[in-house]
Amino acid sequence: MDIYDKINERYKTDYVILSVCAVLNAFSIAIQVAVPVRFPFLSIPAVLGILCQLQLFFSVAMAVKGGKKGFLLSVTENVLALFISFAAFLFFHSTYFWQTVFASAVSIGSALILRRHLSVLRAETDLMYKKAVTDSLTGLVNHQNFVIEMEALIARDNHSDFAVVFIDVDNFKRINDTLGHQAGDEFLMHTVQNMQRVVDSADIIGRMGGDEFAILVPRKLSDEALYRYVAKIAGEVAVPFSCQNKLYQITASLGIARYPKDGRTAGDVIHQADMAMYRAKSLGKNRIVFFDEKMQESIEQRRVLERALKRAIEKGEMYLEYQPQYQVSHGILRGFEALVRWKSSLLGDMNPAQFIKIAEEMGFMSDLGEWILTTACTEYMKVQGTYDQKPILAVNISCSQINDPSFVPFVRDLIKKTLINPEVLEFEITEKISELSSDTTFSVLNDLKKMGIKISLDDFGTGFSSINALRKLPLDTLKIDSSFTRSLFDSKKIELIGSLIDIAHSLNLKVIAEGVEKESEMKELSVYGCDFVQGFLFGHTLPIVAL
C-alpha cells in the first residue's frame, strides 16, 4: 500500500462528501438550465455550467495524486473555471454564475485541506519508513535494510564483486554489566562515530543487532587492500572511550566474506562473514579473519556445543563434584570446593575449562552459576550432619553473577530456602572481578560479607591483580594458582611464592595453594607458611557423599 492508498483509506469519508457535493452542484445547474430551455443539453451555457462543476472531481483527484505539482494545477484549474463562468455570464447571460463561483471555492478549499492532510501523512509515512529501515539508536541502516542493499547490488550487476565485513565488539557485555546500559549505548555511538570517520562514503554501515555491525564494501579490492582498510576500521573501534572519568578500551573481532567467491546470495555472504568473525573470536578476539570453507566444520561444532549447553541443565546432564581442602599444619579437613561437570548425551564428557568459557561468551554463566550454587547448598545440607566441625563450602562465582542486580537477593533467598549457615559459604571470585574494581563490585561483595559469607580470590598470579586491589577488596582468602605450585622447586618461583604468602598474611588473608600433587610440594609450602592446600594428593574430585 503506497502513500496515496493510505490517503484514500484514511480520508475516504472526506472524498465521499466532496463527491456528493460536486454531483449535487452539477445537477442543480443542469436543472436550472433545463427548465427554461427546450433542449438543455444542446445549449452552450448548460454545457459550460456542467463542466465548471465537474472540475471539482478533477481538482480533488489532481491535488491527491499529483503531489505539489498536482495541487498547483488544481488551484489553476479552479481559477480558470471562474474565468470561464464569468465569460458565460457576459456573453450568454448565464443565470448560475454564482453557483459556479461557489463550486470553485469549494474545490479550492478541498484542495487546500487535502494538501494539508497529504503533507501530514507524508511526514508520518517518512517517519515510519525511517524507523523501518534504520536503527533507532545509531541511525544506521538495520539488518533488514542492509540485506536489501546487498540484494539490490546483486540485482544491478550479477557480476559485481563486493565484500561484507562483520564486526562484533569484544566483551561489550562487560561495559553494560559494570557501567549500565546507558553507558553501553553511549559507547556504541562512540564506536559508530569513530568508524564513520574512516569508512568510505560509498560503503554502507549497518547495525545488525546488539554490539554487531556490518559494512558493505561495494567495490573490488585485493585481499591486502581490504585487510588494510578493515584494520583501519578496527583501529577506530579500539579508540579509548571515556566514561565516569575513566578510559575504557574495547577491541573488536572482524570477519570478511566476498561475493560471489564465498556466497551467491546476500544471506550466504552475511552468514560466511559472521562465521569468519566467530572464528576471530575463537582465536582470541581482537583480530581480522577472512572466510575459509575449512572453518565451516569447526564453527558448526561450536554451535552444536552451544545448543547442547543451553539444554544441559534441564536435561539433567550437569552435576557437581567436590575437591577437599586440608590444613597444612595438622592435615585437618577445612572444606571442599564445588566443581561443575557435564556429561552430554550427545557429546560425552566435556572439559569444564572449555564449556565454562563458552558459557561466559554466550552470556549463560548467570543461569549456570545459579544452578551450581543452588545444587551445592542443597547437597551440602544433606551431608553436613556427618561432620563434627562444619566444613567450608567453596563455590565459584562469575563476573556476570556479581554484576547481576538480582544476585544478592537470590543468595538471601537461597540461604532461607536451604537453611544453610552463610558462615560456611565461601565465594571464589577471579582476578577479572578485581580488575573491574567498580562501585557495583565492591557493593555486592560487601553485601555478601555482611551475610557472613567469606570471599576468596581464585587463581591469584594468572592475571594482573595489584596489591592495592587486594587491599580494597573485602577478601578472606587468597588462592595461589596451580602453575606456581608446579614450579615450587624453581628457585626464582619459590621465592615469589614465599613473598606472595607473606603479603597475604600481612593483609590478614589466609592462603590456599591449588594443584598440590606431591608430598614434597606439601612440605615446601609448609616451610613458607601456607595455610591450606588442595589437589590430587588427597584424591580426585568426587560426589559429596563420597568425601
Side-chain angles (χ1 to χ4, degrees):
M1 180 182 288
D2 64 18
I3 188 169
Y4 301 113
D5 294 328
K6 292 178 184 292
I7 292 175
N8 290 330
E9 184 68 27
R10 186 166 178 175
Y11 301 112
K12 188 181 292 182
T13 304
D14 294 1
Y15 298 157
V16 171
I17 294 172
L18 291 171
S19 300
V20 170
C21 289
V23 172
L24 290 176
N25 277 324
F27 272 105
S28 67
I29 293 175
I31 291 170
Q32 291 180 52
V33 175
V35 170
V37 182
R38 187 174 179 182
F39 301 103
F41 296 106
L42 297 178
S43 67
I44 293 177
V47 173
L48 288 173
I50 292 172
L51 287 176
C52 285
Q53 302 309 309
L54 289 177
Q55 50 80 29
L56 177 59
F57 286 108
F58 296 104
S59 66
V60 170
M62 220 176 294
V64 173
K65 291 291 186 182
K68 183 177 181 180
K69 185 177 179 181
F71 169 71
L72 294 175
L73 287 173
S74 174
V75 173
T76 303
E77 177 203 2
N78 281 283
V79 172
L80 289 174
L82 288 173
F83 280 110
I84 293 171
S85 297
F86 186 65
F89 175 73
L90 289 178
F91 295 106
F92 300 104
H93 306 291
S94 170
T95 59
Y96 46 86
F97 169 66
W98 296 110
Q99 286 90 341
T100 304
V101 172
F102 174 74
S104 295
V106 170
S107 297
I108 294 174
S110 302
L112 287 169
I113 292 171
L114 289 170
R115 176 63 183 169
R116 183 175 64 83
H117 286 334
L118 178 64
S119 299
V120 172
L121 190 57
R122 188 185 297 277
E124 291 178 356
T125 305
D126 288 345
L127 181 61
M128 287 190 293
Y129 175 78
K130 185 177 180 181
K131 288 181 178 179
V133 301
T134 61
D135 174 60
S136 60
L137 174 65
T138 62
L140 302 175
V141 299
N142 60 18
H143 187 289
Q144 179 182 3
N145 201 41
F146 190 87
V147 174
I148 291 172
E149 292 286 352
M150 289 181 64
E151 290 173 341
L153 185 60
I154 293 170
R156 282 198 301 271
D157 183 4
N158 196 37
H159 300 289
S160 62
D161 189 320
F162 63 84
V164 170
V165 182
F166 208 95
I167 304 168
D168 185 271
V169 179
D170 297 328
N171 303 317
F172 175 70
K173 191 174 184 298
R174 187 182 298 179
I175 293 286
N176 272 340
D177 288 345
T178 57
L179 303 178
H181 290 281
Q182 183 177 348
D185 289 346
E186 291 174 4
F187 170 77
L188 291 178
M189 286 301 302
H190 164 83
T191 300
V192 169
Q193 290 165 4
N194 288 345
M195 286 196 295
Q196 287 173 330
R197 287 204 297 261
V198 295
V199 170
D200 192 277
S201 58
D203 299 349
I204 297 172
I205 310 177
R207 186 183 181 195
M208 311 304 276
D211 59 346
E212 293 181 337
F213 301 90
I215 300 175
L216 175 60
V217 185
R219 59 191 185 280
K220 187 172 183 178
L221 294 174
S222 67
D223 285 352
E224 294 78 9
L226 184 56
Y227 185 90
R228 288 195 300 270
Y229 176 54
V230 174
K232 190 183 296 184
I233 296 170
E236 289 299 321
V237 175
V239 171
F241 166 64
S242 177
C243 182
Q244 299 176 8
N245 298 320
K246 290 184 180 180
L247 285 178
Y248 296 87
Q249 186 167 22
I250 300 292
T251 58
S253 299
L254 302 93
I256 303 172
R258 292 182 177 278
Y259 173 88
K261 175 177 173 285
D262 299 323
R264 303 295 301 182
T265 67
D268 287 345
V269 177
I270 290 175
H271 176 72
Q272 313 300 40
D274 182 30
M275 194 170 292
M277 179 277 295
Y278 215 96
R279 179 62 174 165
K281 280 196 173 297
S282 67
L283 290 173
K285 306 178 182 178
N286 189 25
R287 64 193 65 214
I288 301 166
V289 172
F290 282 85
F291 174 76
D292 184 333
E293 289 185 1
K294 294 178 181 178
M295 69 178 61
Q296 180 108 16
E297 184 177 351
S298 62
I299 296 297
E300 287 302 324
Q301 288 176 350
R302 164 75 179 246
R303 288 179 174 167
V304 168
L305 193 152
E306 286 185 355
R307 287 193 292 269
L309 183 56
K310 286 181 179 179
R311 298 192 296 267
I313 292 177
E314 62 186 59
K315 291 175 70 175
E317 296 177 350
M318 293 285 185
Y319 62 98
L320 297 182
E321 288 187 337
Y322 300 82
Q323 187 169 50
Q325 300 169 345
Y326 288 91
Q327 190 179 56
V328 174
S329 58
H330 298 94
I332 300 172
L333 178 71
R334 175 190 187 255
F336 24 75
E337 179 184 357
L339 301 168
V340 65
R341 299 290 184 258
W342 177 24
K343 187 177 182 63
S344 170
S345 58
L346 179 66
L347 304 170
D349 288 317
M350 300 301 298
N351 184 340
Q354 181 185 15
F355 72 76
I356 288 175
K357 181 181 178 182
I358 292 174
E360 289 175 344
E361 293 173 356
M362 290 168 57
F364 182 58
M365 208 50 225
S366 286
D367 292 338
L368 179 57
E370 286 189 2
W371 179 86
I372 292 171
L373 186 54
T374 301
T375 304
C377 291
T378 303
E379 291 184 347
Y380 178 91
M381 291 304 291
K382 291 179 180 178
V383 301
Q384 54 120 9
T386 61
Y387 296 95
D388 296 330
Q389 193 172 12
K390 298 296 182 288
I392 298 296
L393 173 62
V395 182
N396 290 279
I397 303 298
S398 67
C399 293
S400 55
Q401 286 175 278
I402 290 292
N403 290 300
D404 186 343
S406 65
F407 179 63
V408 171
F410 166 77
V411 173
R412 286 198 184 100
D413 291 342
L414 182 63
I415 290 171
K416 291 179 182 177
K417 181 180 176 182
T418 60
L419 301 178
I420 192 169
N421 182 352
E423 293 183 357
V424 305
L425 286 174
E426 182 172 75
F427 287 173
E428 296 189 4
I429 61 174
T430 65
E431 289 193 308
K432 287 183 180 178
I433 294 178
S434 68
E435 289 167 27
L436 297 178
S437 299
S438 69
D439 292 339
T440 301
T441 302
F442 292 129
S443 176
V444 170
L445 294 179
N446 282 320
D447 285 344
L448 296 173
K449 286 277 289 183
K450 289 174 184 175
M451 294 183 209
I453 298 171
K454 297 176 178 63
I455 306 296
S456 173
L457 183 62
D458 195 13
D459 299 331
F460 185 77
T462 59
F464 301 97
S465 292
S466 65
I467 301 302
N468 189 45
L470 295 182
R471 289 196 185 98
K472 286 184 178 180
L473 292 170
L475 300 174
D476 297 281
T477 309
L478 189 68
K479 296 188 76 175
I480 297 176
D481 186 66
S482 58
S483 60
F484 282 92
T485 307
R486 287 193 294 269
S487 305
L488 272 173
F489 298 101
D490 181 324
S491 58
K492 293 182 180 178
K493 289 286 181 70
I494 192 62
E495 289 178 6
L496 178 58
I497 292 174
S499 298
L500 289 177
I501 293 172
D502 289 341
I503 291 171
H505 287 163
S506 71
L507 296 172
N508 295 319
L509 303 179
K510 297 294 184 182
V511 178
I512 301 176
E514 295 183 290
V516 177
E517 298 180 359
K518 302 173 182 177
E519 286 286 353
S520 56
E521 294 171 345
M522 179 87 160
K523 291 178 181 177
E524 197 70 28
L525 288 167
S526 176
V527 170
Y528 283 92
C530 184
D531 301 293
F532 307 102
V533 289
Q534 172 181 340
F536 291 155
L537 175 63
F538 309 100
H540 289 274
T541 57
L542 294 168
I544 198 167
V545 293
L547 291 175

